[in-house]
Amino acid sequence: MARINNILKGKCPKCETGAVFNKQGNQFLAIPKMNEKCPNCNHKFEVEPGFFFGAMYVSYGMTVAECIAIYIISSFFISSLLKIFILIVISILLLSFVNYKYSRLLWMYLFTKKVATS
Ligand SMILES: [Zn+2]
């Protein structure tokens, strides 16, 4: 449960203290800027070239899940399929910045072992 909380807060997957994204990354409707290394433990986030290529698949999965959720929820209120489609397209564009951030965080948490702190 603490890991999920740290993913949501954007903490480093290794030490779970340093921030992965710098402050500009928290702006609404802006591509989040990633720190190259953890400010706390100096862990390099992009462990190898192209490491975040796989995060695209995570982002794709998140987008599909969001589309299905938006479709199901909006179909209760909107009867026109065209209006639902437009709503989904707008939502995808707005959520793409959030997906970018959390797909990278999820990808890093999948492949980075946490350092035991005692
Ligand atoms: Zn760290």
Side-chain angles (χ1 to χ4, degrees), residues 11-19 37-43 45:
K11 298 291 182 189
C12 164
K14 201 136 202 162
C15 65
E16 299 192 337
T17 307
K37 289 179 176 179
C38 174
N40 185 49
C41 69
N42 218 24
H43 168 67
F45 292 129

Coordinates of all heavy atoms in Angstrom, one line a residue, residues 11-19 37-43 45, ligand 1:
K11 N 7.4 9.4 -6.1 CA 8.7 9.3 -5.4 C 9.6 8.3 -6.2 O 9.1 7.5 -6.9 CB 8.4 8.7 -4.0 CG 7.6 9.7 -3.1 CD 8.4 10.9 -2.8 CE 7.5 11.8 -1.9 NZ 8.1 13.1 -1.7
C12 N 10.9 8.4 -5.9 CA 11.9 7.5 -6.5 C 11.6 6.1 -6.1 O 11.3 5.8 -5.0 CB 13.3 7.9 -6.0 SG 14.6 6.8 -6.2
P13 N 11.7 5.1 -7.1 CA 11.4 3.7 -6.8 C 12.5 3.1 -6.0 O 12.2 2.0 -5.4 CB 11.3 3.1 -8.2 CG 12.1 4.0 -9.1 CD 12.0 5.4 -8.5
K14 N 13.6 3.6 -5.9 CA 14.7 3.0 -5.1 C 14.7 3.4 -3.6 O 14.6 2.5 -2.8 CB 16.1 3.3 -5.7 CG 17.2 2.4 -5.3 CD 18.0 2.0 -6.6 CE 18.7 0.7 -6.3 NZ 19.2 0.1 -7.6
C15 N 14.7 4.7 -3.4 CA 14.7 5.1 -2.0 C 13.3 5.6 -1.5 O 13.1 5.7 -0.3 CB 15.7 6.3 -1.8 SG 15.3 7.8 -2.7
E16 N 12.4 5.8 -2.4 CA 11.0 6.2 -2.0 C 11.0 7.5 -1.3 O 10.2 7.8 -0.4 CB 10.3 5.1 -1.3 CG 10.2 3.9 -2.2 CD 9.2 2.8 -1.7 OE1 8.9 2.8 -0.5 OE2 8.7 2.1 -2.5
T17 N 12.0 8.4 -1.5 CA 12.1 9.7 -0.8 C 12.2 10.8 -1.9 O 11.4 11.8 -1.8 CB 13.3 9.8 0.1 OG1 13.2 8.6 1.0 CG2 13.2 11.0 1.0
G18 N 13.1 10.7 -2.8 CA 13.4 11.8 -3.8 C 12.3 11.8 -4.8 O 11.6 10.8 -5.1
A19 N 12.1 13.0 -5.4 CA 11.0 13.2 -6.4 C 11.6 12.8 -7.8 O 12.7 13.1 -8.1 CB 10.6 14.6 -6.4
K37 N 18.4 12.1 -12.3 CA 18.8 11.3 -11.2 C 18.0 11.6 -10.0 O 17.5 12.8 -9.9 CB 20.3 11.4 -10.9 CG 21.2 10.8 -12.0 CD 22.7 11.0 -11.6 CE 23.5 10.3 -12.7 NZ 24.9 10.4 -12.4
C38 N 17.9 10.7 -9.1 CA 17.1 11.0 -7.8 C 17.9 12.0 -7.0 O 19.1 11.8 -6.8 CB 17.0 9.7 -7.1 SG 16.2 9.9 -5.4
P39 N 17.3 13.1 -6.6 CA 18.0 14.1 -5.7 C 18.4 13.5 -4.4 O 19.3 14.1 -3.7 CB 17.0 15.2 -5.6 CG 15.6 14.6 -6.0 CD 15.9 13.4 -6.9
N40 N 17.8 12.4 -4.0 CA 18.1 11.9 -2.6 C 19.2 10.8 -2.7 O 20.2 10.9 -2.0 CB 16.8 11.3 -2.0 CG 17.1 10.8 -0.6 OD1 17.6 11.6 0.2 ND2 16.6 9.6 -0.3
C41 N 19.0 9.7 -3.5 CA 19.9 8.6 -3.5 C 20.8 8.5 -4.8 O 21.6 7.6 -5.0 CB 19.1 7.3 -3.4 SG 18.1 6.9 -4.8
N42 N 20.6 9.5 -5.7 CA 21.4 9.6 -6.9 C 21.2 8.4 -7.9 O 22.0 8.1 -8.7 CB 22.9 9.7 -6.6 CG 23.6 10.6 -7.6 OD1 23.0 11.5 -8.2 ND2 24.9 10.4 -7.7
H43 N 20.0 7.7 -7.8 CA 19.7 6.6 -8.7 C 19.3 7.2 -10.0 O 18.5 8.1 -10.1 CB 18.5 5.8 -8.1 CG 17.8 4.9 -9.0 ND1 18.5 3.7 -9.5 CD2 16.6 4.9 -9.6 CE1 17.7 3.1 -10.3 NE2 16.6 3.7 -10.4
F45 N 17.4 7.3 -13.2 CA 16.0 6.8 -13.5 C 16.0 6.0 -14.9 O 15.4 5.0 -14.9 CB 15.0 7.9 -13.6 CG 14.8 8.5 -12.2 CD1 14.8 9.9 -12.0 CD2 14.5 7.7 -11.1 CE1 14.6 10.5 -10.8 CE2 14.3 8.3 -9.9 CZ 14.4 9.6 -9.7
Ligands
ZN1 ZN 16.1 7.8 -4.7

